[in-house]
């Protein structure tokens, strides 16, 4: 599965903003010409010209770099100000106020429910003040026109809110189904890929640990898979309880991966030993059975330029060495590429 599919909201908003910027830049350029040379409305024309240039600049920027919150937020704020200011300054028969009906959809598409609510409410209040502050509001002296415009705006706002809220909820549920291990509730291999490739921007000082429970097949054979599953859940809880930073992933039947960012080698070694000792000392009481397990751990430091596959392969190599040396061991890859066996004491 392509991990970019898990970030579909970001991809959608980037595409919407990109082409909306191009559209708004073109429309603003057209309105600039009309307002300056035909309507003799210099102030609004100059503002629209500046907005056209800004939209085109954002279009170029997001074509080259990752989307940032300030980009859609600034575009929405600018177009809102233009609509409110234009509604106040222009004549009513220019009908510039009708643009307010399209903005709630834009807010929710680009910014989600929180900013959608904030900006939609702000626009409704600002546009209402701007229209009633005009000297010429004769069309709005007709109650029907006022009610139709107001109710249309609220209806579009409600539909946009319900749609975006439902979309976000469905996206989160699908993302959890795709990324979470159904037994233990921690991330799976796909989640590990996303964390390493997308979420973990700075990998300097990152240590990767691969853990494998020793002789876990014997637990399943002796007590049954139901008990074995509960042991895995308890082990996961213990790992999370002993993890001050980083993330735990279940990447196999009884195999786990831990990423510990911004860490020193000494800290990684001590932390791996803490995990090993905690599991060795812990007595799992499940369905009346007292179960003891140990763990073998391979630890490597991230090397600049390495892919996730290379990092996991290096940690697996250390794990294999720990098992070869008798299990219940921590094996750490040293700076010179050799391995260092941590004491089991």
């Amino acid at each position: 599965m392509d991990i970019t599919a898990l970030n579909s909201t970001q991809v959608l908003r980037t595409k919407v903003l990109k082409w909306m910027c191009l559209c708004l830049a073109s429309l603003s350029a057209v309105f600039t010409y009309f307002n300056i040379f035909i309507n003799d409305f210099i102030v609004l024309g100059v503002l629209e010209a500046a907005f056209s240039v800004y939209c085109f600049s954002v279009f170029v920027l997001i074509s080259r770099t990752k989307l940032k919150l300030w980009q859609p937020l600034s575009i929405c704020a600018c177009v809102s100000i233009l609509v409110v200011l234009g509604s106040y300054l222009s004549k009513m028969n220019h009908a510039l106020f009708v643009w307010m009906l399209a903005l709630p959809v834009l807010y929710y598409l680009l910014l989600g429910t929180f900013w959608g609510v904030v900006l939609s409410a702000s626009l409704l209040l600002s546009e209402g003040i701007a229209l009633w502050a005009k000297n010429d509001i004769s069309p709005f002296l007709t109650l029907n026109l006022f009610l139709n415009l107001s109710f249309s705006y609220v209806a579009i706002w409600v539909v946009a809110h319900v749609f975006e809220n439902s979309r976000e909820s469905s996206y989160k549920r699908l993302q959890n189904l795709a990324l979470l291990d159904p037994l233990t509730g921690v991330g799976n291999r796909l989640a590990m890929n996303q964390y390493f490739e997308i979420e973990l921007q700075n990998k300097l000082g990152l240590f990767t640990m691969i853990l494998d429970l020793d002789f876990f097949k014997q637990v399943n054979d002796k007590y049954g898979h139901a008990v074995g599953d509960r042991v895995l859940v308890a082990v996961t809880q213990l790992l999370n309880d002993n993890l001050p930073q980083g993330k735990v992933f279940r990447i196999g039947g009884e195999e786990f991966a831990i990423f510990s960012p911004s860490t020193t080698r000494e800290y990684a070694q001590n932390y791996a030993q803490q995990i090993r000792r905690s599991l060795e000392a812990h007595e799992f009481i499940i369905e009346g059975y007292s179960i003891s397990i140990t763990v073998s751990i391979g630890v490597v430091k991230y090397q600049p330029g390495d892919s996730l596959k290379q990092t996991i392969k290096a940690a697996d190599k250390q794990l294999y060495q720990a098992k070869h040396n008798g299990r219940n061991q921590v094996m750490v890859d040293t700076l010179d590429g050799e391995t260092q066996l941590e004491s089991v004491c």
Side-chain angles (χ1 to χ4, degrees):
M1 182 178 179
D2 184 2
I3 60 175
T4 58
L6 300 173
N7 206 25
S8 59
T9 296
Q10 185 82 352
V11 173
L12 172 65
R13 288 176 179 164
T14 299
K15 288 182 178 179
V16 171
L17 179 61
K18 181 178 178 180
W19 297 109
M20 185 57 66
C21 283
L22 190 60
C23 178
L24 290 174
S26 303
L27 289 174
S28 296
V30 173
F31 281 117
T32 296
Y33 174 81
F34 271 92
N35 284 321
I36 292 179
F37 298 103
I38 297 178
N39 296 331
D40 195 25
F41 203 169
I42 306 299
V43 174
L44 188 59
V46 171
L47 290 175
E48 287 174 333
F51 181 60
S52 178
V53 173
Y54 181 69
C55 285
F56 186 73
S57 300
V58 173
F59 171 80
V60 173
L61 183 62
I62 60 178
S63 298
R64 299 175 179 176
T65 61
K66 187 177 180 181
L67 182 69
K68 301 293 192 303
L69 175 62
W70 67 266
Q71 294 163 342
L73 192 57
S74 63
I75 291 293
C76 288
C78 287
V79 72
S80 301
I81 292 172
L82 278 176
V83 169
V84 172
L85 187 61
S87 298
Y88 175 73
L89 296 177
S90 65
K91 297 179 180 179
M92 293 296 293
N93 58 11
H94 290 170
L96 201 149
F97 56 85
V98 300
W99 280 92
M100 66 180 287
L101 298 176
L103 294 187
V105 176
L106 183 65
Y107 298 153
Y108 280 90
L109 275 176
L110 292 179
L111 294 164
T113 52
F114 173 76
W115 285 108
V117 170
V118 171
L119 293 177
S120 296
S122 300
L123 178 65
L124 181 61
L125 179 62
S126 302
E127 187 73 5
I129 294 173
L131 290 175
W132 285 110
K134 288 174 65 67
N135 294 325
D136 177 23
I137 59 168
S138 53
F140 282 89
L141 295 178
T142 304
L143 182 61
N144 286 342
L145 178 59
F146 171 75
L147 292 178
N148 281 327
L149 182 64
S150 301
F151 289 166
S152 296
Y153 181 87
V154 172
I156 293 171
W157 180 4
V158 169
V159 169
H161 182 84
V162 171
F163 177 83
E164 179 61 20
N165 191 56
S166 299
R167 190 201 64 78
E168 287 182 355
S169 297
S170 298
Y171 169 73
K172 289 177 181 177
R173 287 196 298 270
L174 290 173
Q175 191 177 49
N176 286 338
L177 287 173
L179 295 177
L180 297 184
D181 174 54
L183 175 63
T184 62
V186 297
N188 55 21
R189 276 188 174 271
L190 188 58
M192 180 178 67
N193 291 349
Q194 185 190 38
Y195 177 74
F196 187 88
E197 301 292 349
I198 298 177
E199 295 181 31
L200 199 57
Q201 297 294 321
N202 182 13
K203 298 181 178 65
L204 296 179
L206 172 69
F207 279 83
T208 302
M209 307 176 192
I210 302 296
L211 301 77
D212 191 81
L213 304 182
D214 298 327
F215 303 112
F216 190 74
K217 184 177 183 300
Q218 295 179 6
V219 175
N220 285 327
D221 292 342
K222 183 175 181 179
Y223 304 105
H225 287 278
V227 172
D229 287 347
R230 292 181 61 182
V231 171
L232 289 173
V233 173
V235 168
T236 304
Q237 184 62 51
L238 191 148
L239 292 177
N240 278 320
D241 290 345
N242 284 277
L243 183 65
Q245 60 177 344
K247 285 199 174 184
V248 178
F249 302 92
R250 185 187 178 202
I251 59 176
E254 63 270 11
E255 192 172 32
F256 296 84
I258 295 179
F259 290 90
S260 184
S262 303
T263 302
T264 64
R265 184 173 299 275
E266 181 181 5
Y267 176 89
Q269 291 174 349
N270 292 337
Y271 174 61
Q273 279 293 352
Q274 178 185 341
I275 292 174
R276 187 195 61 76
R277 294 192 189 101
S278 296
L279 283 172
E280 183 182 31
H282 192 84
E283 183 180 13
F284 297 91
I285 307 297
I286 298 175
E287 295 185 7
Y289 299 114
S290 176
I291 303 171
S292 297
I293 58 174
T294 59
V295 65
S296 299
I297 306 176
V299 184
V300 296
K301 183 179 181 180
Y302 172 76
Q303 300 301 316
D306 278 1
S307 64
L308 175 60
K309 183 178 180 180
Q310 291 170 314
T311 301
I312 295 298
K313 183 178 179 180
D316 272 333
K317 182 179 178 181
Q318 302 307 311
L319 174 63
Y320 174 81
Q321 193 64 43
K323 287 185 172 293
H324 180 74
N325 290 342
R327 292 181 168 82
N328 193 23
Q329 309 278 346
V330 173
M331 191 66 66
V332 183
D333 187 17
T334 58
L335 289 173
D336 56 9
E338 297 179 356
T339 57
Q340 176 181 345
L341 177 64
E342 289 290 301
S343 171
V344 297
C345 299

